[in-house]
Each structure stands twice: as C-alpha cells, then as structure tokens.
Amino acid sequence: MNKSFFIGFVYLFFSLGLFAQNTDNWELITDKENISIYTRLTDASPIKQLKVKTVFETDIQTLLSVLNDVENYPKWVYKCIEAERLHTVSSGEFYYRTVSDLPWPVSDRDVILLTKQWKVKETGIYKTKSSAKPDFVSTVEDIVRIPLYESAWTITPTEQNMVEIEYTALTEVGGQIPDWMVNLGLSAGPYETM
C-alpha cells in the first residue's frame, strides 16, 4: 500500500480552519519548486499538523474563484474523485463535501466542511477557514467520514499578478489506518495539489 497516497487527500480538500495554539516547532519536510511543506505535532491530533507555503502567479480573485469552484476539485485536488457544494449560506460561507479515492483495502474517505472567507480591509489579505461538520449530512455506505478537519488559507498579494499562499491543515482520518502511517506521507498530497 502506498503510504503517501493517503495524506494527500487528507490535507488538500481546500477548506479552512483553526488549530492548536502552538506557533513553534515547524519542521521543514519538503522544499522544491517553490513549495515548502512543514509539519509539527500538536495536542489536537496524533496526526501532524501541516503547513504549505508557496507563491502563485495569479491574482486573488482568480485564486478565490478556483477555491470556490468545488465541483471542479477532482480536476486538481490530489485523490479527490467527487466534490459538491451542499449549501450556500452567503457569498463568503458555504458547506461542501469531498470524497477521496484510496486504494484497496483502505476505504474511501469523505469530509463535510463549512468554509468561511473574508478580506482583512487594512492589509488586503484574504483568509479562509474550514472545519469539519461530520453530521451535516448522512454518511454513505462503504465511505468513512472524516471526523476532524480544520484548515486555513492566508492569501497575500505581493506584487502585480502574484500572491503568497500559506495553507495549514489538521485532521483525524477516521477508520482503522494507523496514525504513524498517515504521518509518513504528509508531503505527497499537498505537493501534488499545489
């Protein structure tokens, strides 16, 4: 079984949230092609928290339109095979569901997320936060529901047509996959998605 397949789906369902308050102890695990990936242990989960930093040649509105186009996640999110917006609360708040394809004998996983987005007026920085809402819709047979998932995007304009991205995520994957196995492959999915 490929150990890194699994982490990608866990961390890259492009949604957003709040984590343990520890701001230190990040360990750099991947640094290539202008993508830096860090992990650290927290008290919130035995699975390491993830942070990805990179720069994209785009503008904020284009990036936000990609992040908000949930139905197209399977085209670019690692191991995502299904995605749908479930309910729109407002222009900056919505619920959605994604499904990740995992190789046999591991069951596929889904996650239900509530995403909130806003602009910090003083800086022009956009922020998005997502958190799992596992009871928002019923579970699906043969798919394991992810019980904990929190992530955040900070999107900072740096110069004309360039944005700096910082993405953080923390999860519990549910089911019977050992945490140590999940921690082994933390960089694969985030790197492939970015």
Side-chain angles (χ1 to χ4, degrees):
M1 179 185 316
N2 181 344
K3 295 174 185 170
S4 62
F5 73 93
F6 180 67
I7 304 316
F9 93 88
V10 170
Y11 289 106
L12 294 181
F13 286 150
F14 296 99
S15 314
L16 336 203
L18 196 57
F19 316 107
Q21 296 302 310
N22 180 10
T23 59
D24 300 321
N25 304 319
W26 287 107
E27 176 186 357
L28 180 65
I29 60 170
T30 300
D31 190 10
K32 59 184 178 181
E33 297 184 48
N34 202 32
I35 300 169
S36 300
I37 301 174
Y38 304 82
T39 61
R40 71 175 173 191
L41 293 171
T42 70
D43 295 334
S45 172
I47 297 174
K48 292 178 181 178
Q49 184 180 13
L50 174 82
K51 176 168 67 174
V52 181
K53 296 181 88 171
T54 191
V55 176
F56 288 156
E57 185 175 345
T58 189
D59 60 80
I60 288 179
Q61 291 307 317
T62 300
L63 181 59
L64 287 174
S65 70
V66 170
L67 294 178
N68 291 336
D69 187 7
V70 174
E71 284 74 14
N72 279 309
Y73 284 8
K75 293 180 180 178
W76 60 276
V77 175
Y78 186 70
K79 296 291 183 182
C80 180
I81 57 169
E82 184 180 328
E84 64 179 318
R85 189 181 282 232
L86 300 172
H87 176 68
T88 300
V89 178
S90 67
S91 62
E93 185 174 354
F94 59 90
Y95 291 84
Y96 70 98
R97 174 180 180 260
T98 62
V99 180
S100 291
D101 180 34
L102 303 182
W104 184 88
V106 178
S107 297
D108 290 349
R109 296 298 196 271
D110 76 351
V111 64
I112 311 301
L113 295 160
L114 171 60
T115 292
K116 298 180 181 183
Q117 304 171 338
W118 67 97
K119 180 180 181 180
V120 180
K121 292 179 185 176
E122 299 78 19
T123 62
I125 294 172
Y126 278 78
K127 293 187 175 269
T128 65
K129 293 190 178 187
S130 296
S131 55
K133 301 297 181 189
D135 299 324
F136 187 72
V137 296
S138 300
T139 57
V140 177
E141 188 176 354
D142 298 327
I143 296 179
V144 174
R145 176 72 43 89
I146 293 174
L148 168 68
Y149 185 90
E150 300 197 1
S151 64
W153 289 78
T154 300
I155 305 167
T156 306
T158 58
E159 55 187 79
Q160 187 175 0
N161 215 37
M162 299 293 287
V163 292
E164 183 178 288
I165 306 296
E166 181 175 290
Y167 172 77
T168 55
L170 181 68
T171 191
E172 291 268 349
V173 296
Q176 300 299 316
I177 299 176
D179 298 328
W180 64 265
M181 182 180 290
V182 176
N183 282 325
L184 282 177
L186 284 177
S187 67
Y191 178 78
E192 290 299 320
T193 297
M194 290 294 171

